[in-house]
Amino acid sequence: MARINDVGGTQGFGAIDTSDDTEPFHADWEARVVGLFNALRAQGVFNTNEFRDAIESMPPAEYLAASYYERWFTAICALLERKGVIEPGELDD
């Protein structure tokens, strides 16, 4: 069964923006999310497959409304809860 990220061949999403974007990050917090991802993965808290699954498991409306790195942060938080590193809702404030 296809998930929200699997939209290949689906109509209605409009044109793809193929303009060049040379900036890897558009805000400081985005770079911090990547640093957090790298640190947690290096420590074995989760692996790349688990991370990808966490992103692809986001509810469709939440996935479509989120930016690229917001999806990363959501996945990291979900994995930290799933792995028992943090309590559910601990980062909600």
Side-chain angles (χ1 to χ4, degrees), residues 29 33 36-37 40 45-59 62-63 66-83 86 91:
W29 70 266
V33 167
L36 186 60
F37 166 81
L40 292 168
V45 176
F46 55 78
N47 63 41
T48 302
N49 290 334
E50 292 170 317
F51 177 71
R52 180 177 175 175
D53 180 66
I55 289 176
E56 295 173 357
S57 298
M58 290 174 64
E62 186 179 338
Y63 179 93
S67 71
Y68 184 75
Y69 289 111
E70 286 172 336
R71 292 175 191 149
W72 278 46
F73 187 66
T74 298
I76 289 169
C77 292
L79 286 168
L80 290 176
E81 286 184 5
R82 192 179 305 164
K83 301 280 184 164
I86 61 173
L91 299 177

